Coordinates of all heavy atoms in Angstrom, one line a residue:
A44 N -147.9 68.0 -86.6 CA -148.6 69.3 -86.7 C -150.1 69.2 -86.8 O -150.9 70.1 -86.3 CB -148.1 70.1 -87.9
V45 N -150.6 68.0 -87.3 CA -152.1 67.9 -87.3 C -152.6 66.9 -86.2 O -153.8 66.5 -86.3 CB -152.5 67.4 -88.7 CG1 -152.2 68.4 -89.8 CG2 -151.9 66.0 -89.0
G46 N -151.8 66.6 -85.3 CA -152.2 65.8 -84.1 C -152.1 64.3 -84.3 O -152.5 63.6 -83.3
R47 N -151.5 63.8 -85.4 CA -151.3 62.4 -85.5 C -150.2 61.9 -84.7 O -149.2 62.6 -84.5 CB -151.1 62.0 -87.0 CG -152.2 62.3 -87.9 CD -151.9 62.0 -89.3 NE -150.8 63.0 -89.7 CZ -150.5 63.2 -91.0 NH1 -151.1 62.6 -92.0 NH2 -149.5 64.0 -91.3
P48 N -150.3 60.7 -84.1 CA -149.2 60.1 -83.3 C -148.1 59.7 -84.2 O -148.3 59.0 -85.2 CB -149.8 58.9 -82.6 CG -151.0 58.5 -83.5 CD -151.5 59.8 -84.1
V49 N -146.9 60.0 -83.8 CA -145.7 59.6 -84.6 C -144.6 59.1 -83.6 O -144.7 59.5 -82.4 CB -145.1 60.7 -85.5 CG1 -146.1 61.0 -86.6 CG2 -144.8 61.9 -84.7
G50 N -143.7 58.3 -84.0 CA -142.7 57.9 -83.1 C -141.5 57.1 -83.8 O -141.6 56.8 -85.0
L51 N -140.5 56.9 -83.0 CA -139.3 56.2 -83.6 C -138.6 55.4 -82.4 O -138.8 55.7 -81.2 CB -138.4 57.2 -84.2 CG -137.9 58.4 -83.4 CD1 -136.8 58.1 -82.4 CD2 -137.5 59.5 -84.3
T52 N -137.9 54.4 -82.8 CA -137.1 53.6 -81.9 C -135.8 54.3 -81.6 O -135.2 54.9 -82.4 CB -136.8 52.2 -82.5 OG1 -138.0 51.6 -82.8 CG2 -136.0 51.4 -81.5
C53 N -135.4 54.2 -80.3 CA -134.2 55.0 -79.9 C -133.5 54.3 -78.7 O -134.2 53.7 -77.9 CB -134.7 56.4 -79.4 SG -133.5 57.4 -78.5
N54 N -132.2 54.3 -78.7 CA -131.5 53.7 -77.6 C -130.5 54.8 -77.0 O -129.6 54.5 -76.3 CB -130.7 52.5 -77.9 CG -129.6 52.7 -78.9 OD1 -129.6 53.7 -79.6 ND2 -128.7 51.7 -79.0
S55 N -130.8 56.1 -77.3 CA -130.0 57.1 -76.8 C -130.6 57.8 -75.6 O -130.2 58.9 -75.2 CB -129.7 58.2 -77.8 OG -130.9 58.8 -78.3
F56 N -131.7 57.2 -75.0 CA -132.4 57.8 -73.9 C -131.5 57.8 -72.6 O -130.7 56.8 -72.4 CB -133.7 57.0 -73.6 CG -134.3 57.2 -72.2 CD1 -134.8 58.4 -71.9 CD2 -134.2 56.2 -71.3 CE1 -135.4 58.7 -70.7 CE2 -134.8 56.4 -70.0 CZ -135.4 57.7 -69.7
S57 N -131.5 58.8 -71.8 CA -130.7 58.9 -70.6 C -131.4 59.8 -69.6 O -132.1 60.8 -70.0 CB -129.3 59.4 -70.9 OG -128.5 59.5 -69.8
S58 N -131.1 59.6 -68.3 CA -131.6 60.5 -67.3 C -130.6 61.7 -67.3 O -129.4 61.5 -67.6 CB -131.7 59.8 -66.0 OG -130.4 59.3 -65.6
V59 N -131.1 62.8 -66.8 CA -130.2 64.0 -66.7 C -130.2 64.6 -65.3 O -129.1 64.9 -64.7 CB -130.7 65.1 -67.7 CG1 -129.9 66.4 -67.5 CG2 -130.6 64.6 -69.1
S60 N -131.4 64.7 -64.7 CA -131.5 65.4 -63.4 C -132.6 64.8 -62.6 O -133.7 64.4 -63.2 CB -131.6 66.9 -63.6 OG -132.0 67.5 -62.4
L61 N -132.5 64.8 -61.3 CA -133.6 64.4 -60.4 C -134.4 65.6 -60.0 O -135.7 65.5 -59.8 CB -133.1 63.7 -59.2 CG -132.4 62.3 -59.4 CD1 -131.9 61.7 -58.1 CD2 -133.4 61.3 -60.0
E62 N -133.8 66.7 -59.8 CA -134.5 67.9 -59.4 C -134.1 69.1 -60.2 O -132.9 69.6 -60.0 CB -134.2 68.2 -57.9 CG -134.8 67.2 -56.9 CD -134.6 67.5 -55.5 OE1 -134.0 68.6 -55.2 OE2 -134.9 66.7 -54.6
P63 N -134.8 69.5 -61.2 CA -136.1 68.9 -61.6 C -135.9 67.6 -62.4 O -134.7 67.3 -62.8 CB -136.6 70.0 -62.6 CG -135.4 70.6 -63.2 CD -134.4 70.7 -62.0
P64 N -136.9 66.8 -62.5 CA -136.8 65.5 -63.2 C -136.6 65.7 -64.7 O -137.6 66.0 -65.4 CB -138.1 64.8 -62.9 CG -139.1 65.9 -62.6 CD -138.3 67.0 -62.0
L65 N -135.4 65.5 -65.2 CA -135.1 65.8 -66.6 C -134.5 64.5 -67.2 O -133.7 63.8 -66.6 CB -134.0 66.9 -66.8 CG -134.4 68.3 -66.2 CD1 -133.2 69.2 -66.5 CD2 -135.7 68.8 -66.9
V66 N -134.9 64.3 -68.5 CA -134.4 63.1 -69.3 C -134.0 63.7 -70.6 O -134.4 64.8 -71.0 CB -135.4 62.0 -69.4 CG1 -135.7 61.4 -68.0 CG2 -136.7 62.5 -70.0
L67 N -133.3 62.9 -71.4 CA -132.9 63.3 -72.8 C -132.9 62.2 -73.7 O -132.8 61.0 -73.4 CB -131.6 64.0 -72.8 CG -130.3 63.3 -72.6 CD1 -129.8 62.4 -73.7 CD2 -129.1 64.2 -72.2
F68 N -133.0 62.5 -75.0 CA -132.7 61.6 -76.1 C -132.2 62.4 -77.3 O -132.3 63.6 -77.3 CB -134.0 60.8 -76.5 CG -135.0 61.6 -77.3 CD1 -135.0 61.5 -78.7 CD2 -135.9 62.4 -76.7 CE1 -135.9 62.2 -79.5 CE2 -136.8 63.1 -77.5 CZ -136.8 63.0 -78.9
S69 N -131.5 61.7 -78.2 CA -130.9 62.4 -79.3 C -131.5 61.9 -80.6 O -131.9 60.7 -80.7 CB -129.4 62.3 -79.4 OG -129.0 60.9 -79.5
L70 N -131.6 62.8 -81.6 CA -132.3 62.4 -82.8 C -131.5 63.0 -84.0 O -131.0 64.1 -84.0 CB -133.7 63.1 -82.8 CG -134.6 62.9 -84.1 CD1 -134.9 61.4 -84.3 CD2 -135.9 63.7 -83.9
R71 N -131.3 62.1 -85.0 CA -130.6 62.5 -86.2 C -131.2 63.7 -86.9 O -132.4 63.7 -87.0 CB -130.5 61.3 -87.2 CG -129.5 60.2 -86.8 CD -129.4 59.2 -87.9 NE -130.7 58.7 -88.3 CZ -131.2 58.9 -89.5 NH1 -130.6 59.5 -90.5 NH2 -132.4 58.4 -89.9
K72 N -130.4 64.6 -87.3 CA -131.0 65.8 -88.0 C -131.6 65.3 -89.3 O -132.5 66.0 -89.8 CB -129.9 66.8 -88.3 CG -129.4 67.5 -87.0 CD -128.3 68.5 -87.4 CE -127.8 69.2 -86.1 NZ -126.7 70.1 -86.4
A73 N -131.2 64.2 -89.9 CA -131.7 63.7 -91.1 C -133.1 63.0 -90.9 O -133.7 62.7 -91.9 CB -130.8 62.8 -91.8
S74 N -133.5 62.8 -89.7 CA -134.8 62.1 -89.4 C -135.9 62.9 -90.0 O -136.0 64.1 -89.9 CB -134.9 61.9 -87.9 OG -136.2 61.4 -87.7
S75 N -136.9 62.2 -90.5 CA -138.1 62.8 -91.0 C -139.0 63.3 -89.9 O -139.9 64.1 -90.2 CB -138.9 61.8 -91.9 OG -139.3 60.7 -91.1
L76 N -138.7 63.0 -88.7 CA -139.5 63.4 -87.6 C -138.9 64.6 -86.8 O -139.5 65.0 -85.8 CB -139.8 62.2 -86.6 CG -140.6 61.1 -87.1 CD1 -140.8 60.0 -86.1 CD2 -141.9 61.5 -87.7
V77 N -137.8 65.1 -87.3 CA -137.2 66.3 -86.6 C -138.2 67.4 -86.4 O -138.3 68.0 -85.3 CB -136.0 66.8 -87.3 CG1 -135.6 68.1 -86.8 CG2 -134.8 65.8 -87.1
G78 N -139.0 67.7 -87.4 CA -139.9 68.8 -87.4 C -141.0 68.6 -86.3 O -141.3 69.5 -85.5
A79 N -141.5 67.4 -86.2 CA -142.6 67.1 -85.3 C -142.1 67.2 -83.8 O -142.8 67.8 -83.0 CB -143.1 65.6 -85.5
F80 N -140.8 66.8 -83.6 CA -140.3 66.9 -82.2 C -139.9 68.4 -81.9 O -140.1 68.8 -80.7 CB -139.1 66.0 -82.0 CG -139.6 64.5 -81.8 CD1 -139.5 63.6 -82.8 CD2 -140.0 64.1 -80.5 CE1 -139.9 62.3 -82.6 CE2 -140.4 62.8 -80.3 CZ -140.4 61.9 -81.3
R81 N -139.4 69.1 -82.9 CA -138.9 70.4 -82.6 C -140.1 71.4 -82.4 O -140.1 72.3 -81.6 CB -138.1 71.0 -83.7 CG -136.6 70.4 -83.7 CD -135.8 71.0 -84.8 NE -135.6 72.4 -84.6 CZ -134.6 72.9 -83.9 NH1 -133.7 72.1 -83.3 NH2 -134.5 74.2 -83.8
E82 N -141.2 71.1 -83.1 CA -142.4 72.0 -83.1 C -143.4 71.6 -82.1 O -144.3 72.3 -81.7 CB -143.0 72.1 -84.5 CG -142.1 72.7 -85.5 CD -142.6 72.4 -86.9 OE1 -143.7 72.0 -87.1 OE2 -141.8 72.7 -87.9
G83 N -143.3 70.3 -81.6 CA -144.3 69.8 -80.6 C -144.1 70.4 -79.2 O -143.0 70.9 -78.9
E84 N -145.1 70.2 -78.4 CA -145.1 70.7 -77.0 C -144.5 69.7 -76.0 O -144.2 70.0 -74.9 CB -146.5 71.1 -76.6 CG -147.1 72.2 -77.4 CD -148.5 72.6 -77.0 OE1 -149.0 71.9 -76.1 OE2 -149.0 73.6 -77.5
G85 N -144.3 68.4 -76.5 CA -143.8 67.4 -75.6 C -143.6 66.1 -76.3 O -143.7 66.0 -77.5
F86 N -143.2 65.1 -75.5 CA -143.0 63.8 -76.1 C -143.1 62.8 -75.0 O -143.1 63.1 -73.8 CB -141.6 63.7 -76.8 CG -140.4 64.1 -75.9 CD1 -139.8 63.2 -75.0 CD2 -139.9 65.3 -76.0 CE1 -138.8 63.5 -74.2 CE2 -138.8 65.7 -75.2 CZ -138.2 64.8 -74.3
A87 N -143.2 61.5 -75.3 CA -143.3 60.4 -74.4 C -142.2 59.4 -74.7 O -141.9 59.1 -75.8 CB -144.7 59.7 -74.4
I88 N -141.6 58.9 -73.6 CA -140.6 57.9 -73.7 C -141.2 56.6 -73.2 O -141.6 56.5 -72.0 CB -139.3 58.3 -72.9 CG1 -138.7 59.5 -73.5 CG2 -138.3 57.1 -72.9 CD1 -137.7 60.2 -72.7
N89 N -141.2 55.6 -74.1 CA -141.8 54.3 -73.7 C -140.7 53.2 -73.7 O -140.1 52.9 -74.7 CB -142.9 53.9 -74.8 CG -143.9 54.9 -74.9 OD1 -144.9 54.9 -74.2 ND2 -143.8 55.9 -75.9
I90 N -140.4 52.7 -72.5 CA -139.3 51.7 -72.3 C -139.8 50.3 -72.7 O -140.8 49.9 -72.0 CB -138.8 51.8 -70.9 CG1 -138.4 53.2 -70.5 CG2 -137.5 50.9 -70.8 CD1 -137.4 53.9 -71.3
L91 N -139.2 49.7 -73.6 CA -139.7 48.4 -74.1 C -139.2 47.2 -73.3 O -138.1 47.2 -72.8 CB -139.3 48.2 -75.6 CG -139.8 49.3 -76.6 CD1 -139.4 48.8 -78.0 CD2 -141.3 49.5 -76.5
S92 N -140.0 46.2 -73.3 CA -139.7 44.9 -72.6 C -139.2 44.0 -73.7 O -139.3 44.2 -74.9 CB -140.9 44.3 -71.9 OG -141.8 43.8 -72.8
Q93 N -138.7 42.8 -73.2 CA -138.2 41.8 -74.1 C -139.2 41.3 -75.1 O -139.0 41.0 -76.2 CB -137.7 40.6 -73.3 CG -136.3 40.7 -72.8 CD -135.8 39.4 -72.2 OE1 -136.5 38.4 -72.1 NE2 -134.5 39.4 -71.7
R94 N -140.5 41.3 -74.6 CA -141.6 40.8 -75.5 C -142.0 41.8 -76.6 O -142.8 41.5 -77.4 CB -142.8 40.6 -74.6 CG -142.6 39.5 -73.5 CD -143.8 39.4 -72.6 NE -143.6 38.5 -71.5 CZ -143.8 37.1 -71.6 NH1 -144.2 36.6 -72.7 NH2 -143.5 36.4 -70.5
Q95 N -141.4 43.0 -76.5 CA -141.8 44.1 -77.5 C -140.7 44.3 -78.5 O -140.6 45.4 -79.1 CB -142.1 45.4 -76.7 CG -143.3 45.2 -75.8 CD -143.6 46.5 -75.0 OE1 -142.7 46.9 -74.2 NE2 -144.8 47.0 -75.1
D96 N -139.9 43.3 -78.8 CA -138.9 43.5 -79.9 C -139.5 43.8 -81.2 O -138.9 44.5 -82.0 CB -137.9 42.3 -79.9 CG -138.7 41.0 -80.1 OD1 -139.7 40.8 -79.4 OD2 -138.3 40.2 -81.0
A97 N -140.7 43.2 -81.5 CA -141.3 43.5 -82.8 C -141.7 45.0 -82.9 O -141.6 45.6 -83.9 CB -142.6 42.7 -82.9
L98 N -142.1 45.6 -81.7 CA -142.4 47.0 -81.7 C -141.2 47.9 -82.0 O -141.2 48.9 -82.7 CB -143.0 47.5 -80.4 CG -144.5 47.4 -80.1 CD1 -144.8 47.8 -78.7 CD2 -145.2 48.2 -81.2
S99 N -140.0 47.4 -81.5 CA -138.8 48.1 -81.7 C -138.5 48.1 -83.2 O -138.1 49.1 -83.8 CB -137.6 47.4 -81.0 OG -136.4 48.0 -81.3
G100 N -138.6 47.0 -83.9 CA -138.4 46.9 -85.3 C -139.4 47.7 -86.1 O -139.0 48.3 -87.1

Side-chain angles (χ1 to χ4, degrees):
V45 296
R47 291 174 301 195
V49 293
L51 50 83
T52 301
C53 171
N54 66 342
S55 62
F56 165 69
S57 177
S58 61
V59 176
S60 166
L61 292 178
E62 295 182 4
L65 301 178
V66 295
L67 68 76
F68 75 96
S69 62
L70 179 62
R71 287 185 306 117
K72 291 179 179 178
S74 171
S75 61
L76 295 183
V77 164
F80 281 100
R81 285 183 64 88
E82 297 165 12
E84 297 181 354
F86 54 84
I88 296 170
N89 303 273
I90 310 298
L91 301 187
S92 74
Q93 279 188 356
R94 299 175 186 272
Q95 294 176 306
D96 55 314
L98 272 181
S99 173

